Amino acid sequence: MSTKIPVSLALLVAAAALAPIFGGQYASDQLPLMPGGLFSAILGSGETPTLTNALIAVLVIAAGVMLLLRRRVLQIPNQTLGALTPLFVFVLAASVLASSFRSVSIVTFAEWATYGIAFFTAVAATGRERGPKLVCLAIFAGCVVVALRGLSEYGQMRSIDPTWRIFGGWVNPNATAAMLLVGLFLGLGETLNRERIYAGLAGLGTALIVFAIMLTGSKGALSLAMPICIVVFCATLSRKPSVGGQALMAAAVVVAGLITGLCFLKGLGWVALIACLVLGLALLALAPEGRVRAARVALVAVAALCLVGLLAVSTAASKNTDALSPFTRVSASGETQEQSSSFRLQLWKSAADLIRMNPVGYGLGTYAFESGRPGRTTQTKLAHNAYLQLGAEASVAAPLVLLALLGYWFYLMLRRPGSAPPEQSILRAEITAAVAAIAVHSFVDSDFYYFGIGLCVFILLGVGLLVASDAVAPESLPAPFRRLCAAMAVVVWVAFLYGGVIETLKAELRGNALTGNLADAKSNAEALAAIAGIDGEAWELRSQLEPTATAIESDLENAVQLAPSTRNMRQLAAIQQRLGKPATAYATLVRALDTDPNNLLTLSQIMRLEQDAGDRDQATKYATRLVGVESTDYFKTRSIPEVEPTETYAARVYLARNASSPKEAVSLLAPAVAGYQDYLRTTWPLVQRTAKGELQANYAGETLAKAEEHLREGEASAHLLSAAYRSVGDSADASKADAAARDFELALDSAK
């Protein structure tokens, strides 16, 4: 047998290895790209994730195009999957037409279309012999690299913050944990399928992955997805091709689901993990050679627990005796967990509301802009549920087709002949469990929206069919059809690359503007003008470099037309007010409220607009509306609880200045001062810490200058409260208000 690897397979394996390492960032319009930083950004630092993903995607698409142009006979999925996958991609493509943010939707569609291309390419390129093993090994190796990066990161941060949650080069710890779950089950398969030293190395890598997952502090991964999928992995290996064996597997998975579901709700993730591990090992021991397999899996678990124990002991023995464990978040079941769970619940309700409000969807990739429309949560990038987010963006049909695709794939994977070789059985089990991990975890996170996860999962979907029973078949495809498919794949990648180039130019413009390099910033703006006419955010960025207010207004009008985000509309309203068009500015802000009716910044801007116009009644109306938001979940349950919003407190101060009596002023000012004190206690230290290295730095959008302004507002409100208390004869509370004013003053003095 030839040892030469086909080029198409080599490209697919390379993409599979690189996706976990560099595919972990999510597109953001906030990060500037500093001069000379393009190379590090491409390697996954976060400024140009679309460009990075496009460069990974070219490997998969090149492999697919090569196969289409060189071969007439190709392996293709069975008819049902072969129809469901294009149908899914078609539903996503249709959502682009409904989008108000067309450029965002096109790039997001290119990512999802690449998943579909990866699925068919994996089926056609991998083969049944070495290919599946190579692809699984590549993804596993990539995940080991992520785990090692995360462990190194924790080593650097441990002395600063023992509770640090690792990122491993990904955008957030929860996404890291999801990617590592895939590596975990592929690693278990490698441990069982290899011999001697190779099995030991695979087991060590798997133990490191488990340890890294624990350091991410992801409750969804540790308390929900991992326990269920351990049972799926072990039960798939132990199942015999009999009715009794199938029933045993189904019962085991149901029991695992019940255990983990109950423990997840009660905050007992460790109980679920241990219970499901014991259940899985018991099932695994029932299989032929099951005791050997169970022993190997148990050794991996013991190795991971030893690493955890060593870290716990070393933490306890450190000089900082009151240091918390890095696993505190996972084991905690108090206020932090309740806040996190409450916010996710509101996100899910909000996504469901969006589906009810517009069943055809708002456009792929637009959740970040539309998520505030139901008034339940502030605008959030992701819904923390991939299926609900797909429904809100691409119509209710999108998650239904995706679930049907996954469900039928699982059916094909578990429908196995009795004489399957042990090696193939293990491959099937590891791939099934890895995909199941993401399918389960996607109920509590938007995993498919991270390119590294989505690409690996769809590659595994294709590879899995090659080790399943009668799931693929060779077909002779006519040349015109193959050329058409190749051309469509190239178009998808061109759109992907186009989005990456635009993203890079925008990031460079921000970086040049931030460093005062206006000449290069203007050059970036000219390049955007030439190639990014349909990108609303590009127009918004160019407006920042315009010399006149009229030119700024023109650019922002284009920005709002192409990307009607609340931020763009607020900026347009501000310049309209500056140009003496208060009525037009008011109409623009009211339009912004349609997208996010409880948006504090928008309501605050309208209040100030009416104040400047001298319309006290309207200003009072919107100030009262701002204060009313305090009683909603929108205000109470926030994505970042450490950032205390102050807009409602400023509205209280305005109302108090126009109050009819001192008693009414006290009722308005007391909560405002308490709120500003919360800001001083929770947000201010984080902003200060972030700004130590760079004055322009911010914590969740809060810059040092903005934070100081809020403290001055707090000091002024405390003085007003003190005067109001004295007016009603309450000298004790007046003294407390004076003390609060001094706290604000001292904090401001310390910042000088």
Side-chain angles (χ1 to χ4, degrees), residues 150-345:
L151 295 177
S152 174
E153 172 192 332
Y154 182 76
Q156 296 172 12
M157 295 299 299
R158 181 182 173 191
S159 60
I160 301 172
D161 182 5
T163 65
W164 179 260
R165 300 177 64 195
I166 65 171
F167 290 72
W170 280 60
V171 68
N172 63 64
N174 292 330
T176 309
M179 185 69 254
L180 291 176
L181 280 174
V182 174
L184 163 63
F185 293 105
L186 297 181
L188 287 176
E190 288 294 317
T191 304
L192 297 181
N193 252 340
R194 301 287 175 175
E195 297 297 332
R196 297 183 179 88
I197 189 171
Y198 299 107
L201 291 174
L204 176 61
T206 306
L208 291 174
I209 286 175
V210 174
F211 186 37
I213 292 174
M214 292 180 176
L215 289 177
T216 64
S218 172
K219 296 179 182 179
L222 282 165
S223 306
L224 184 67
M226 187 189 293
I228 293 176
C229 294
I230 284 174
V231 175
V232 170
F233 176 79
C234 296
T236 304
L237 283 177
S238 68
R239 183 172 71 90
K240 297 180 177 65
S242 63
V243 174
Q246 295 178 23
L248 177 64
M249 176 190 176
V253 175
V254 169
V255 169
L258 291 174
I259 291 173
T260 54
L262 180 62
C263 292
F264 186 72
L265 292 174
K266 297 294 184 181
L268 303 173
W270 294 109
V271 175
L273 188 58
I274 294 171
C276 288
L277 180 60
V278 172
L279 176 60
L281 291 174
L283 289 168
L284 192 58
L286 297 175
E289 302 179 1
R291 293 178 182 177
V292 175
R293 293 175 179 173
R296 287 192 179 185
V297 173
L299 284 173
V300 170
V302 169
L305 290 175
C306 287
L307 291 172
V308 172
L310 287 173
L311 180 59
V313 170
S314 62
T315 300
S318 65
K319 294 181 180 179
N320 185 10
T321 56
D322 62 341
L324 297 172
S325 163
F327 315 116
T328 299
R329 183 180 184 274
V330 179
S331 58
S333 58
E335 183 179 348
T336 302
Q337 176 177 330
E338 183 179 348
Q339 195 279 337
S340 176
S341 301
S342 297
F343 184 71
R344 287 189 185 222
L345 181 60

Side-chain angles (χ1 to χ4, degrees), residues 83-109:
L84 282 173
T85 306
L87 175 61
F88 178 59
V89 174
F90 174 78
V91 170
L92 299 183
S95 74
V96 176
L97 301 177
S99 176
S100 297
F101 299 80
R102 193 66 56 83
S103 62
V104 173
S105 295
I106 289 173
V107 175
T108 308
F109 170 74

Side-chain angles (χ1 to χ4, degrees), residues 275-579:
C276 288
L277 180 60
V278 172
L279 176 60
L281 291 174
L283 289 168
L284 192 58
L286 297 175
E289 302 179 1
R291 293 178 182 177
V292 175
R293 293 175 179 173
R296 287 192 179 185
V297 173
L299 284 173
V300 170
V302 169
L305 290 175
C306 287
L307 291 172
V308 172
L310 287 173
L311 180 59
V313 170
S314 62
T315 300
S318 65
K319 294 181 180 179
N320 185 10
T321 56
D322 62 341
L324 297 172
S325 163
F327 315 116
T328 299
R329 183 180 184 274
V330 179
S331 58
S333 58
E335 183 179 348
T336 302
Q337 176 177 330
E338 183 179 348
Q339 195 279 337
S340 176
S341 301
S342 297
F343 184 71
R344 287 189 185 222
L345 181 60
Q346 292 303 320
L347 286 175
W348 299 340
K349 289 180 178 179
S350 182
D353 289 342
L354 288 172
I355 295 172
R356 284 194 293 268
M357 293 163 65
N358 186 11
V360 300
Y362 289 92
L364 197 60
T366 61
Y367 181 81
F369 308 105
E370 304 287 355
S371 55
R373 191 180 289 272
R376 291 183 181 272
T377 66
T378 54
Q379 292 179 22
T380 310
K381 286 283 184 184
L382 299 169
H384 290 277
N385 184 308
Y387 309 109
L388 286 175
Q389 183 164 343
L390 268 178
E393 293 181 352
S395 85
V396 69
L400 293 178
V401 175
L402 177 60
L403 287 169
L405 188 157
L406 292 173
Y408 190 71
W409 182 86
F410 282 119
Y411 165 73
L412 293 175
M413 292 297 292
L414 300 176
R415 185 190 63 179
R416 130 183 134 178
S419 59
E423 189 175 71
Q424 183 176 335
S425 175
I426 293 171
L427 270 173
R428 179 187 292 107
E430 67 182 83
I431 293 171
T432 302
V435 174
I438 298 303
V440 171
H441 194 261
S442 289
F443 281 100
V444 293
D445 212 341
S446 298
D447 290 337
F448 287 104
Y449 283 81
Y450 302 109
F451 186 74
I453 295 175
L455 187 66
C456 287
V457 167
F458 274 82
I459 288 175
L460 288 175
L461 289 176
V463 172
L465 296 181
L466 295 164
V467 297
S469 173
D470 300 325
V472 300
E475 291 287 344
S476 177
L477 304 177
F481 178 75
R482 289 185 286 113
R483 294 189 188 113
L484 175 62
C485 290
M488 292 172 63
V490 171
V491 169
V492 166
W493 185 72
V494 169
F496 209 158
L497 181 63
Y498 172 71
V501 170
I502 291 176
E503 175 190 69
T504 303
L505 286 172
K506 291 191 291 186
E508 285 181 347
L509 192 155
R510 293 189 195 94
N512 286 322
L514 189 62
T515 57
N517 192 348
L518 296 183
D520 285 345
K522 289 178 180 178
S523 177
N524 296 139
E526 290 174 1
L528 286 171
I531 68 171
I534 65 169
D535 190 292
E537 296 306 317
W539 284 100
E540 185 273 329
L541 281 171
R542 296 204 305 256
S543 73
Q544 300 176 21
L545 301 174
E546 295 288 7
T548 65
T550 303
I552 294 172
E553 181 188 29
S554 176
D555 282 353
L556 289 174
E557 285 175 345
N558 288 328
V560 168
Q561 181 181 359
L562 296 167
S565 65
T566 53
R567 185 187 65 179
N568 287 347
M569 285 188 272
R570 284 197 302 270
Q571 288 182 314
L572 176 58
I575 197 65
Q576 287 169 337
Q577 183 181 5
R578 178 179 160 189
L579 289 170

Side-chain angles (χ1 to χ4, degrees), residues 457-701:
V457 167
F458 274 82
I459 288 175
L460 288 175
L461 289 176
V463 172
L465 296 181
L466 295 164
V467 297
S469 173
D470 300 325
V472 300
E475 291 287 344
S476 177
L477 304 177
F481 178 75
R482 289 185 286 113
R483 294 189 188 113
L484 175 62
C485 290
M488 292 172 63
V490 171
V491 169
V492 166
W493 185 72
V494 169
F496 209 158
L497 181 63
Y498 172 71
V501 170
I502 291 176
E503 175 190 69
T504 303
L505 286 172
K506 291 191 291 186
E508 285 181 347
L509 192 155
R510 293 189 195 94
N512 286 322
L514 189 62
T515 57
N517 192 348
L518 296 183
D520 285 345
K522 289 178 180 178
S523 177
N524 296 139
E526 290 174 1
L528 286 171
I531 68 171
I534 65 169
D535 190 292
E537 296 306 317
W539 284 100
E540 185 273 329
L541 281 171
R542 296 204 305 256
S543 73
Q544 300 176 21
L545 301 174
E546 295 288 7
T548 65
T550 303
I552 294 172
E553 181 188 29
S554 176
D555 282 353
L556 289 174
E557 285 175 345
N558 288 328
V560 168
Q561 181 181 359
L562 296 167
S565 65
T566 53
R567 185 187 65 179
N568 287 347
M569 285 188 272
R570 284 197 302 270
Q571 288 182 314
L572 176 58
I575 197 65
Q576 287 169 337
Q577 183 181 5
R578 178 179 160 189
L579 289 170
K581 304 176 182 179
T584 306
Y586 176 79
T588 301
L589 291 171
V590 170
R591 180 186 172 191
L593 289 178
D594 291 338
T595 303
D596 192 352
N598 288 332
N599 190 286
L600 300 179
L601 292 173
T602 305
L603 289 170
S604 180
Q605 189 169 342
I606 297 179
M607 183 188 76
R608 294 194 303 271
L609 175 68
E610 300 296 357
Q611 284 180 258
D612 294 341
D615 192 333
R616 178 177 293 184
D617 290 341
Q618 280 289 93
T620 299
K621 170 187 170 183
Y622 281 98
T624 304
R625 183 171 169 178
L626 265 169
V627 172
V629 176
E630 290 180 351
S631 62
T632 66
D633 289 324
Y634 187 98
F635 183 88
K636 295 176 182 177
T637 307
R638 302 187 292 274
S639 58
I640 306 178
E642 295 82 8
V643 177
E644 186 77 18
T646 61
E647 290 79 13
T648 64
Y649 309 141
R652 284 180 173 275
V653 172
Y654 172 76
L655 292 173
R657 292 182 186 277
N658 296 283
S660 58
S661 66
K663 186 176 181 180
E664 181 185 357
V666 167
S667 67
L668 289 165
L669 288 169
V673 173
Y676 280 118
Q677 287 178 306
D678 287 339
Y679 184 92
L680 175 63
R681 183 168 50 255
T682 60
T683 310
W684 171 249
L686 296 172
V687 175
Q688 274 192 309
R689 187 186 310 168
T690 304
K692 279 183 179 179
E694 185 180 347
L695 290 177
Q696 295 290 344
N698 69 84
Y699 182 86

Side-chain angles (χ1 to χ4, degrees), residues 15-36:
L18 294 174
I21 301 173
F22 301 119
Q25 297 295 327
Y26 187 77
S28 170
D29 58 359
Q30 301 297 320
L31 296 177
L33 178 61
M34 297 303 180

